[in-house]
Amino acid sequence: MGVDYYALELDLTDDGPNIQEVLAELTGQRTVPNVFVNGTHVGGYDKTFQAYKSGSLQNLLEDRIDDTEVYDYDLIVIGGGSGGLACSKEAASLGKKVMVLDYVVPTPSGTSWGLGGTCVNVGCIPKKLMHQAALLGQALQDSRKFGWECDEQVKHNWDTMVEAIQNYIGSLNWGYRVSLREKTVTYLNAYAEFIEPHKIKATNRKRQETFHTAQTFVLATGERPRYLGIPGDKEYCITSDDLFSLPYCPGKTLIVGASYVALECAGFLAGIGLDVTVMVRSILLRGFDQEMAERAGAYMETHGVKFIRKFVPTQIERLEEGMPGRLKVVAQSTEGPEIVEGEYNTVLIAIGRDACTRNIGLDKIGVKINEKNGKIPVNDEEQTNVPHVYAIGDILDGKLELTPVAIQAGKLLARRLFGGSFEKCDYVNVPTTVFTPLEYGCCGLPEERAIGEYGKESIEVYHTLFWPLEWTVPGRDNNTCYAKIICNKHDKNRVLGFHVLGPNAGEITQGFGAAIKCGLTKELLDETIGIHPTCAEVFTTLEVSKSSGKDITQAGC
Amino acid sequence: MGWEEKAVRGYSEFVQAAEQSRGRPVFALFCGDKDAQGRSWCPDCVTAEPVVRCELNSMPDGSVFIYCQVGDRPYWKDPNNEFRKKLKLTAVPTLLKYGTPQKLVEEECLNRELVHMLFTED
């Protein structure tokens, strides 16, 4: 190109190693060549060659500034979870210069984790694996009825399970780092805060600060568990952030909360043989279909999980230190002066999650948040009130807190920003599943909301109880698994809501989620021939409506 | 720079070398056997070795680098060989940090930045 350049050979300067350290902190790049043009960091060999091919290298050399200022990056993503990683990788694959920052503030107990966000480290992944551990325990019991002869009492080893799960999570953390490097996304393990509209300060765990600018920002900082705000909560209690890597078996556990986190944790802890109590302030699974929530809860109760309903803890005291120790919990009724006390080895708080939006400098740049819950209102293109700042994932106000939603939103956002696409994320009819001991899968509206939106006379609910074939031989609960669909009478009996309580509910629901996207109706379901013998086939032969009042108790096949 | 190399052949020699290095960071590169002329039957291994060797100086002080020849091609292709069963290796070349889930497989080993990342980052 005939351009003069200055080359500083780091292996030939005394200060080389120091310079290399500083370069790494400034740019996230440890290797050489590390290229700067007119003060702007370009990157290593690959990025420089890419800039040469795309013409931006020439722009930099000629100090050519069009309407836009020259920023360090095209895109900075704050948060390396499901949404953040999907968005940054997509933007990089579209040829953009991207940085992603991820930082885990340790829990009060000191727990921390690697790249990947909540889902991978302290959410969906370890949850489902522990749920599986519990299901296998049940399967071992059932197996005797099928002829497997096992004399010994089967016990569960907490440490073995946690080690195996953490090992798998470690490989995922590593996999994400390799993936980001391969896609030339710059990754910084640092806490990001806005200091100016296009500039952030990044602080790593050694408290070193670096500064970075970008044309566009995406907030994907996710949430953390909320505490009770009573004496002893942060000092003695744990949350889901701590549970999945707990270096000792939690023992006799009290779970405070009625969220799906609370019920799922209670479920698998009881499933591996622990003494579990759930303390619920009011209703189970707020926001979900309440009939289904109560049925899921009832199953847990008949299978050994104790419920203390309409109480809230007021005080946690430590009686004995240890791993686990012994804690005393005092709780107050929500309906009167009654007090209950209990002793537990572990208290797990699962009353909700708060968005990580309060301490990242959003006030400095004018991004509006919902003061009540800290979440960020966005338009249907995930744009905040500040045009160059977007947000995705759990922190969105009024949107679903699910990994696949964040991933989809992140990918589509990147494609709209940099790929010339116009496709927006569809938040309607997203299927989901609660992995309680008896799983609950759903897509569409809860019955209460369908009644509220369409009116009771406009909807027809078809339902049935069913007995999975695999449960017959071991003599497991009959008339417990339940299926229902909610249909719109004024629109060809279009399925507005799909609900199933039974084994493998997630696997069952996924397909119906696609069918609902295609406009599934009761007639189409009836025309579909079932697969026999399965649980899912009940949806192809639903006959009894709630309005008819007919009995759905099963006598047997 | 303070690091040490051990060259081994076969699974038992590898385990022995790893055990002897307890308490120190251990990195291992698994390749197909080399013939009398010093060329491995695995072409990616031939390309990966110099890339990895270039970065050895960035390993932490006190590290041990184990260069392990896994065996001949038929041994490697056997799905029940000890490396596949006990170490969960799926391909050669594999470069890994022993005792952690961190590893690079096949073309990843040819990427100098990834090798550097494996050697230097937690």
Side-chain angles (χ1 to χ4, degrees), chain A residues 445-459 486-491 494-496:
Chain A
L445 300 176
E447 195 171 331
E448 308 85 41
R449 257 184 70 192
I451 292 174
E453 280 180 35
Y454 293 83
K456 197 156 186 186
E457 305 67 42
S458 304
I459 64 165
I486 303 159
C487 302
N488 185 351
K489 288 202 281 206
H490 300 311
D491 180 22
R494 186 92 44 204
V495 175
L496 301 170

Side-chain angles (χ1 to χ4, degrees), chain A residues 96-280:
Chain A
K96 293 301 159 184
K97 192 166 175 211
V98 184
M99 168 182 273
V100 90
L101 298 104
D102 188 69
Y103 191 82
V104 179
V105 174
T107 72
S109 319
T111 316
S112 183
W113 50 85
L115 179 63
T118 296
C119 174
V120 165
N121 293 287
V122 288
C124 331
I125 303 289
K127 171 267 294 284
K128 187 94 191 287
L129 289 171
M130 291 200 176
H131 172 66
Q132 176 66 358
L135 290 177
L136 287 172
Q138 174 74 66
L140 281 170
Q141 288 201 37
D142 290 355
S143 70
R144 291 174 215 270
K145 295 280 172 58
F146 282 93
W148 288 100
E149 290 169 355
C150 178
D151 299 316
E152 313 148 32
Q153 240 326 316
V154 180
K155 322 183 307 282
H156 182 263
N157 184 318
W158 175 266
D159 296 317
T160 307
M161 176 179 71
V162 167
E163 193 186 326
I165 291 176
Q166 286 301 315
N167 217 44
Y168 177 63
I169 292 175
S171 71
L172 292 178
N173 298 140
W174 175 251
Y176 284 127
R177 294 184 39 214
V178 170
S179 168
L180 287 181
R181 271 297 165 93
E182 281 180 331
K183 296 190 152 62
T184 66
V185 174
T186 305
Y187 160 58
L188 282 192
N189 183 209
Y191 188 93
E193 292 168 85
F194 279 96
I195 52 176
E196 279 167 32
H198 284 268
K199 190 186 219 176
I200 53 157
K201 173 175 76 169
T203 311
N204 69 13
R205 59 191 158 140
K206 296 189 198 150
R207 307 196 159 254
Q208 292 158 332
E209 294 176 356
T210 54
F211 300 86
H212 312 275
T213 62
Q215 173 75 58
T216 309
F217 289 84
V218 173
L219 307 171
T221 49
E223 302 178 303
R224 297 297 290 270
R226 187 182 308 143
Y227 281 83
L228 287 161
I230 61 171
D233 66 353
K234 288 206 173 124
E235 300 92 303
Y236 308 128
C237 302
I238 62 168
T239 68
S240 57
D241 279 357
D242 307 293
L243 181 65
F244 300 109
S245 56
L246 207 61
Y248 54 86
C249 181
K252 179 177 176 192
T253 304
L254 173 71
I255 296 181
V256 183
S259 56
Y260 70 81
V261 174
L263 296 186
E264 287 175 344
C265 290
F268 66 70
L269 288 177
I272 58 172
L274 303 182
D275 178 335
V276 176
T277 307
V278 181
M279 185 175 287
V280 175

Side-chain angles (χ1 to χ4, degrees), chain A residues 255 333 391 465:
Chain A
I255 296 181
S333 164
L465 290 160

Side-chain angles (χ1 to χ4, degrees), chain A residues 1-5 35-38 40 42 48 51-52 55-64 70:
Chain A
M1 291 178 74
V3 175
D4 276 335
Y5 65 89
V35 178
F36 291 78
V37 174
N38 284 328
T40 302
V42 178
T48 310
Y52 168 66
S56 54
L57 182 61
Q58 289 83 332
N59 286 351
L60 283 174
L61 283 165
E62 294 168 38
D63 249 345
R64 205 187 289 162
V70 178

Side-chain angles (χ1 to χ4, degrees), chain A residues 518-536:
Chain A
C518 298
L520 184 66
T521 61
K522 175 74 166 51
E523 195 179 348
L524 279 167
L525 272 174
D526 294 343
E527 286 173 3
T528 308
I529 300 184
I531 302 172
H532 186 73
T534 64
C535 294

